[in-house]
Amino acid sequence: MTKDQINSANMLQTTLLILTLPGNAAIYSALPAFVRGVTALEGSINVLGTLAQAQGSPLTGIALDKERLQRSLITRLLIVSGAAGAYSYEAGNHTLAAKFDFKEGALKNLRDSLLDEIAQGVHDQAAAIVAAHAVKAADYNLTPAMLTDLQSAITAYGSTLGTPRAAIANRTAITAAIAAELDRATDSLKNVLDRLIVQFAADHPAFTTAYAAARKVISTGTTSKPAATVPPIS
């Protein structure tokens, strides 16, 4: 990872730390969109940690969790397959639509290498749809950005497997996936959590002040340790 990428990743880590401190979750637990944003941030950080480790530049402070990595992959796979399946069905291609029919429970029970292969297959078939019918696919929120999100999760998950698919997750692919995942996480922060955090300013000023401090990207040279100074939360 580059110095700027490490600094951005450290910011994400520090922000998640604030969001998950004891007592803070209760503040936003009644706001589902905010909860989803925190969950998405946690998933992105785990993906980034796995990618960085595979690249040979591990980030400190990230507890790699294969189960959480699997959840991130399955969540993104279901989003893409749902959009691609709906598009295919309404386009009259029921055979193709059936190829995008997946259930979360069944995916969780797949062996690691098969989940990896299925996810890549969904990505590639959905990418063909986007390439041929970008405008119509966008009506279903089936976009290049969504495909990139899925590919980042696939690359991260694949890098943990001792299979031929893992070899495909080479340094070039991992470097691209890191950049894409950082963009995804940062965009999600700006467009979800940053917009919603203001709702807690009046009743929980310490929480919002700490969040604002954590959101600052601080240059830390070549170190990979989070360096943001975060005020205490009572």
Short mmCIF file of all heavy atoms in Angstrom, two decimals, residues 65-99:
data_model
loop_
_atom_site.label_atom_id
_atom_site.label_comp_id
_atom_site.label_asym_id
_atom_site.label_seq_id
_atom_site.Cartn_x
_atom_site.Cartn_y
_atom_site.Cartn_z
N ASP A 65 -10.84 -11.54 9.94
CA ASP A 65 -11.91 -12.46 10.33
C ASP A 65 -12.47 -13.07 9.06
O ASP A 65 -13.17 -12.41 8.30
CB ASP A 65 -12.98 -11.69 11.09
CG ASP A 65 -14.09 -12.58 11.62
OD1 ASP A 65 -14.30 -13.67 11.05
OD2 ASP A 65 -14.76 -12.17 12.58
N LYS A 66 -12.17 -14.34 8.84
CA LYS A 66 -12.60 -14.99 7.60
C LYS A 66 -14.12 -15.05 7.50
O LYS A 66 -14.68 -14.93 6.41
CB LYS A 66 -12.00 -16.39 7.50
CG LYS A 66 -12.18 -17.01 6.12
CD LYS A 66 -11.39 -18.30 6.00
CE LYS A 66 -11.54 -18.89 4.61
NZ LYS A 66 -10.77 -20.14 4.47
N GLU A 67 -14.78 -15.25 8.64
CA GLU A 67 -16.25 -15.31 8.61
C GLU A 67 -16.83 -13.97 8.18
O GLU A 67 -17.77 -13.92 7.39
CB GLU A 67 -16.78 -15.69 9.99
CG GLU A 67 -18.30 -15.83 10.03
CD GLU A 67 -18.82 -16.24 11.39
OE1 GLU A 67 -17.99 -16.62 12.25
OE2 GLU A 67 -20.04 -16.18 11.60
N ARG A 68 -16.26 -12.88 8.69
CA ARG A 68 -16.74 -11.55 8.29
C ARG A 68 -16.41 -11.28 6.83
O ARG A 68 -17.18 -10.65 6.11
CB ARG A 68 -16.10 -10.50 9.20
CG ARG A 68 -16.72 -9.11 9.05
CD ARG A 68 -16.32 -8.23 10.21
NE ARG A 68 -14.88 -8.05 10.28
CZ ARG A 68 -14.21 -7.84 11.41
NH1 ARG A 68 -14.85 -7.83 12.56
NH2 ARG A 68 -12.91 -7.66 11.39
N LEU A 69 -15.27 -11.78 6.38
CA LEU A 69 -14.89 -11.63 4.97
C LEU A 69 -15.88 -12.39 4.09
O LEU A 69 -16.28 -11.90 3.03
CB LEU A 69 -13.48 -12.17 4.76
CG LEU A 69 -12.76 -11.79 3.47
CD1 LEU A 69 -12.52 -10.30 3.43
CD2 LEU A 69 -11.44 -12.54 3.36
N GLN A 70 -16.29 -13.57 4.54
CA GLN A 70 -17.29 -14.34 3.81
C GLN A 70 -18.62 -13.58 3.75
O GLN A 70 -19.27 -13.53 2.70
CB GLN A 70 -17.50 -15.70 4.47
CG GLN A 70 -18.52 -16.59 3.75
CD GLN A 70 -19.02 -17.73 4.63
OE1 GLN A 70 -19.53 -17.49 5.72
NE2 GLN A 70 -18.86 -18.96 4.14
N ARG A 71 -19.01 -12.96 4.86
CA ARG A 71 -20.25 -12.20 4.89
C ARG A 71 -20.20 -11.04 3.90
O ARG A 71 -21.19 -10.76 3.20
CB ARG A 71 -20.53 -11.66 6.30
CG ARG A 71 -20.99 -12.70 7.29
CD ARG A 71 -21.74 -12.04 8.45
NE ARG A 71 -20.94 -11.03 9.12
CZ ARG A 71 -20.13 -11.26 10.14
NH1 ARG A 71 -19.98 -12.49 10.60
NH2 ARG A 71 -19.45 -10.27 10.70
N SER A 72 -19.07 -10.36 3.85
CA SER A 72 -18.93 -9.25 2.90
C SER A 72 -19.08 -9.73 1.47
O SER A 72 -19.75 -9.10 0.65
CB SER A 72 -17.57 -8.57 3.08
OG SER A 72 -17.46 -7.98 4.34
N LEU A 73 -18.44 -10.86 1.17
CA LEU A 73 -18.52 -11.41 -0.18
C LEU A 73 -19.94 -11.82 -0.52
O LEU A 73 -20.45 -11.49 -1.59
CB LEU A 73 -17.58 -12.61 -0.32
CG LEU A 73 -17.63 -13.38 -1.65
CD1 LEU A 73 -17.37 -12.44 -2.82
CD2 LEU A 73 -16.64 -14.54 -1.64
N ILE A 74 -20.60 -12.53 0.39
CA ILE A 74 -21.96 -13.00 0.12
C ILE A 74 -22.93 -11.83 -0.03
O ILE A 74 -23.79 -11.83 -0.92
CB ILE A 74 -22.43 -13.95 1.24
CG1 ILE A 74 -21.67 -15.29 1.14
CG2 ILE A 74 -23.93 -14.21 1.15
CD1 ILE A 74 -21.97 -16.26 2.26
N THR A 75 -22.77 -10.81 0.81
CA THR A 75 -23.64 -9.63 0.71
C THR A 75 -23.51 -8.98 -0.65
O THR A 75 -24.51 -8.66 -1.31
CB THR A 75 -23.28 -8.61 1.81
OG1 THR A 75 -23.55 -9.19 3.09
CG2 THR A 75 -24.11 -7.34 1.65
N ARG A 76 -22.30 -8.79 -1.11
CA ARG A 76 -22.08 -8.14 -2.40
C ARG A 76 -22.52 -9.04 -3.55
O ARG A 76 -23.04 -8.56 -4.56
CB ARG A 76 -20.62 -7.73 -2.53
CG ARG A 76 -20.20 -6.72 -1.47
CD ARG A 76 -18.75 -6.31 -1.59
NE ARG A 76 -18.31 -5.58 -0.40
CZ ARG A 76 -17.15 -4.96 -0.28
NH1 ARG A 76 -16.29 -4.98 -1.29
NH2 ARG A 76 -16.82 -4.33 0.83
N LEU A 77 -22.31 -10.34 -3.39
CA LEU A 77 -22.74 -11.29 -4.42
C LEU A 77 -24.26 -11.25 -4.58
O LEU A 77 -24.78 -11.22 -5.70
CB LEU A 77 -22.28 -12.70 -4.04
CG LEU A 77 -22.47 -13.84 -5.05
CD1 LEU A 77 -21.51 -14.98 -4.71
CD2 LEU A 77 -23.89 -14.38 -5.05
N LEU A 78 -24.98 -11.20 -3.46
CA LEU A 78 -26.44 -11.18 -3.51
C LEU A 78 -26.97 -9.89 -4.12
O LEU A 78 -27.98 -9.89 -4.83
CB LEU A 78 -27.02 -11.37 -2.10
CG LEU A 78 -26.86 -12.78 -1.50
CD1 LEU A 78 -27.29 -12.78 -0.05
CD2 LEU A 78 -27.67 -13.80 -2.30
N ILE A 79 -26.29 -8.79 -3.85
CA ILE A 79 -26.71 -7.51 -4.43
C ILE A 79 -26.57 -7.54 -5.95
O ILE A 79 -27.49 -7.16 -6.69
CB ILE A 79 -25.86 -6.36 -3.84
CG1 ILE A 79 -26.24 -6.12 -2.37
CG2 ILE A 79 -26.07 -5.07 -4.65
CD1 ILE A 79 -25.33 -5.15 -1.66
N VAL A 80 -25.42 -8.02 -6.42
CA VAL A 80 -25.18 -8.07 -7.86
C VAL A 80 -26.08 -9.11 -8.53
O VAL A 80 -26.69 -8.83 -9.57
CB VAL A 80 -23.70 -8.39 -8.16
CG1 VAL A 80 -23.50 -8.69 -9.65
CG2 VAL A 80 -22.82 -7.21 -7.74
N SER A 81 -26.19 -10.29 -7.93
CA SER A 81 -27.03 -11.33 -8.54
C SER A 81 -28.50 -10.94 -8.54
O SER A 81 -29.23 -11.25 -9.48
CB SER A 81 -26.83 -12.67 -7.82
OG SER A 81 -27.24 -12.60 -6.47
N GLY A 82 -28.93 -10.24 -7.50
CA GLY A 82 -30.32 -9.78 -7.46
C GLY A 82 -30.63 -8.79 -8.57
O GLY A 82 -31.65 -8.89 -9.25
N ALA A 83 -29.71 -7.84 -8.76
CA ALA A 83 -29.90 -6.84 -9.81
C ALA A 83 -29.82 -7.48 -11.19
O ALA A 83 -30.65 -7.21 -12.08
CB ALA A 83 -28.84 -5.74 -9.67
N ALA A 84 -28.83 -8.35 -11.39
CA ALA A 84 -28.66 -9.01 -12.70
C ALA A 84 -29.82 -9.95 -12.98
O ALA A 84 -30.28 -10.07 -14.13
CB ALA A 84 -27.34 -9.77 -12.73
N GLY A 85 -30.31 -10.64 -11.94
CA GLY A 85 -31.43 -11.55 -12.13
C GLY A 85 -32.70 -10.82 -12.50
O GLY A 85 -33.45 -11.26 -13.38
N ALA A 86 -32.95 -9.70 -11.84
CA ALA A 86 -34.14 -8.90 -12.15
C ALA A 86 -34.07 -8.35 -13.58
O ALA A 86 -35.06 -8.38 -14.32
CB ALA A 86 -34.29 -7.77 -11.15
N TYR A 87 -32.88 -7.86 -13.95
CA TYR A 87 -32.70 -7.36 -15.31
C TYR A 87 -32.97 -8.47 -16.33
O TYR A 87 -33.70 -8.27 -17.31
CB TYR A 87 -31.28 -6.82 -15.50
CG TYR A 87 -30.95 -6.58 -16.95
CD1 TYR A 87 -31.30 -5.38 -17.57
CD2 TYR A 87 -30.34 -7.57 -17.72
CE1 TYR A 87 -31.05 -5.18 -18.93
CE2 TYR A 87 -30.07 -7.38 -19.07
CZ TYR A 87 -30.44 -6.18 -19.66
OH TYR A 87 -30.21 -6.00 -21.00
N SER A 88 -32.37 -9.63 -16.10
CA SER A 88 -32.50 -10.74 -17.05
C SER A 88 -33.95 -11.20 -17.18
O SER A 88 -34.44 -11.48 -18.28
CB SER A 88 -31.62 -11.92 -16.61
OG SER A 88 -30.26 -11.53 -16.54
N TYR A 89 -34.65 -11.27 -16.06
CA TYR A 89 -36.04 -11.71 -16.08
C TYR A 89 -36.91 -10.73 -16.89
O TYR A 89 -37.70 -11.15 -17.74
CB TYR A 89 -36.58 -11.83 -14.66
CG TYR A 89 -38.00 -12.32 -14.59
CD1 TYR A 89 -38.29 -13.68 -14.61
CD2 TYR A 89 -39.07 -11.42 -14.54
CE1 TYR A 89 -39.59 -14.14 -14.57
CE2 TYR A 89 -40.38 -11.87 -14.49
CZ TYR A 89 -40.63 -13.23 -14.50
OH TYR A 89 -41.94 -13.68 -14.47
N GLU A 90 -36.75 -9.45 -16.63
CA GLU A 90 -37.57 -8.47 -17.34
C GLU A 90 -37.15 -8.33 -18.80
O GLU A 90 -37.94 -7.84 -19.63
CB GLU A 90 -37.50 -7.12 -16.62
CG GLU A 90 -38.16 -7.16 -15.25
CD GLU A 90 -38.57 -5.80 -14.74
OE1 GLU A 90 -38.03 -4.78 -15.22
OE2 GLU A 90 -39.46 -5.76 -13.86
N ALA A 91 -35.94 -8.77 -19.12
CA ALA A 91 -35.49 -8.75 -20.51
C ALA A 91 -35.99 -9.99 -21.25
O ALA A 91 -35.76 -10.13 -22.46
CB ALA A 91 -33.96 -8.68 -20.57
N GLY A 92 -36.66 -10.88 -20.53
CA GLY A 92 -37.23 -12.07 -21.15
C GLY A 92 -36.29 -13.26 -21.21
O GLY A 92 -36.62 -14.30 -21.79
N ASN A 93 -35.11 -13.14 -20.57
CA ASN A 93 -34.15 -14.23 -20.59
C ASN A 93 -34.23 -14.97 -19.25
O ASN A 93 -33.42 -14.76 -18.34
CB ASN A 93 -32.73 -13.69 -20.82
CG ASN A 93 -31.73 -14.79 -21.11
OD1 ASN A 93 -31.93 -15.95 -20.75
ND2 ASN A 93 -30.63 -14.43 -21.76
N HIS A 94 -35.22 -15.85 -19.13
CA HIS A 94 -35.44 -16.54 -17.87
C HIS A 94 -34.34 -17.55 -17.56
O HIS A 94 -34.07 -17.83 -16.39
CB HIS A 94 -36.81 -17.23 -17.90
CG HIS A 94 -37.95 -16.26 -17.97
ND1 HIS A 94 -39.26 -16.65 -17.86
CD2 HIS A 94 -37.96 -14.92 -18.15
CE1 HIS A 94 -40.04 -15.59 -17.96
NE2 HIS A 94 -39.27 -14.53 -18.15
N THR A 95 -33.71 -18.08 -18.59
CA THR A 95 -32.60 -19.01 -18.37
C THR A 95 -31.44 -18.31 -17.68
O THR A 95 -30.84 -18.84 -16.73
CB THR A 95 -32.12 -19.62 -19.70
OG1 THR A 95 -33.21 -20.33 -20.31
CG2 THR A 95 -30.96 -20.57 -19.48
N LEU A 96 -31.11 -17.11 -18.15
CA LEU A 96 -30.04 -16.34 -17.54
C LEU A 96 -30.44 -15.89 -16.14
O LEU A 96 -29.62 -15.93 -15.21
CB LEU A 96 -29.69 -15.13 -18.41
CG LEU A 96 -28.53 -14.25 -17.90
CD1 LEU A 96 -27.25 -15.06 -17.76
CD2 LEU A 96 -28.32 -13.06 -18.84
N ALA A 97 -31.69 -15.51 -15.98
CA ALA A 97 -32.16 -15.07 -14.67
C ALA A 97 -31.98 -16.17 -13.63
O ALA A 97 -31.61 -15.91 -12.47
CB ALA A 97 -33.63 -14.65 -14.75
N ALA A 98 -32.22 -17.41 -14.04
CA ALA A 98 -32.09 -18.54 -13.11
C ALA A 98 -30.65 -18.72 -12.63
O ALA A 98 -30.41 -19.21 -11.53
CB ALA A 98 -32.58 -19.82 -13.78
N LYS A 99 -29.69 -18.30 -13.44
CA LYS A 99 -28.28 -18.43 -13.07
C LYS A 99 -27.89 -17.45 -11.97
O LYS A 99 -26.82 -17.59 -11.36
CB LYS A 99 -27.39 -18.22 -14.30
CG LYS A 99 -27.54 -19.31 -15.36
CD LYS A 99 -26.62 -19.06 -16.53
CE LYS A 99 -26.76 -20.16 -17.59
NZ LYS A 99 -25.87 -19.93 -18.75
#
